[in-house]
């Protein structure tokens, strides 16, 4: 199983960051790669569409509002992986209430692609996503 993780310090309190990203259906609010998200099954499944029209279906597998994190599994996507589970987490920065650390991590089995290729793909997605989050919060 392969994995990757990307973290960023963002210009907002942990609560403000979590208010923006903590909803499982909130990706379009901060992630340009996902302009559309439709919730299903009481909010436990999201059907995402990217700018190319590709569909990504994900299921929420863990959610902890108090600790500010959730995990999800990909059910359907154009990515060359299976067994994908990812976690989005907001950490407080000790001694600071005006910034937060956001970590996006995932583990997966490469399928129809090499491990480096898939790790690079998701590292790029996470990094671009957290850069977009930083821009959204700074605006």
């Amino acid at each position: 199983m392969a994995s990757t993780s990307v973290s960023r310090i963002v210009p907002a309190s942990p609560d403000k960051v979590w208010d923006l990203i903590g909803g499982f259906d909130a990706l379009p609010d901060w992630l340009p790669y996902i302009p559309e998200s439709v919730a299903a099954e009481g909010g436990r499944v999201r059907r995402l569409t990217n700018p190319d029209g590709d569909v990504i279906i994900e299921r929420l597998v863990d959610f902890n509002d108090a600790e500010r994190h959730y995990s999800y599994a990909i059910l359907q996507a154009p990515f060359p992986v299976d067994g994908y589970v990812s976690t989005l987490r907001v950490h407080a920065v000790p001694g600071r209430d005006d910034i937060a650390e956001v970590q996006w991590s995932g583990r997966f089995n490469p399928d129809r692609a090499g491990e480096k290729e898939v790790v690079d793909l998701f590292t790029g997605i996470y990094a671009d996503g957290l850069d977009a989050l930083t821009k959204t919060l700074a605006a």
Side-chain angles (χ1 to χ4, degrees):
M1 182 163 278
S3 65
T4 188
S5 182
V6 175
S7 294
R8 291 284 187 275
I9 299 295
V10 297
S13 70
D15 286 339
K16 182 176 179 182
V17 176
W18 186 245
D19 285 347
L20 176 61
I21 72 173
F24 188 56
D25 197 35
L27 289 179
D29 296 339
W30 60 274
L31 187 62
Y33 180 71
I34 302 295
E36 181 181 335
S37 178
V38 177
E41 296 185 26
R44 307 261 323 153
V45 171
R46 61 187 179 193
R47 182 183 189 276
L48 310 170
T49 306
N50 71 17
D52 296 330
D54 295 324
V55 172
I56 304 161
I57 300 175
E58 300 172 334
R59 175 176 296 282
L60 185 66
V61 295
D62 182 46
F63 182 87
N64 189 315
D65 193 44
E67 294 182 10
R68 298 186 204 97
H69 66 82
Y70 69 78
S71 299
Y72 60 94
I74 289 180
L75 304 178
Q76 173 189 326
F79 307 125
V81 296
D82 64 19
Y84 177 100
V85 176
S86 183
T87 300
L88 193 58
R89 182 181 304 269
V90 178
H91 298 282
V93 175
R96 300 285 302 265
D97 60 5
D98 61 329
I99 60 174
E101 179 185 9
V102 181
Q103 179 186 35
W104 198 349
S105 61
R107 62 185 191 280
F108 37 81
N109 295 310
D111 181 30
R112 307 174 317 273
E115 182 172 322
K116 181 180 181 338
E117 177 185 346
V118 178
V119 167
D120 289 350
L121 170 70
F122 285 105
T123 300
I125 289 171
Y126 300 165
D128 290 349
L130 294 180
D131 290 346
L133 174 63
T134 300
K135 288 178 189 169
T136 298
L137 290 166

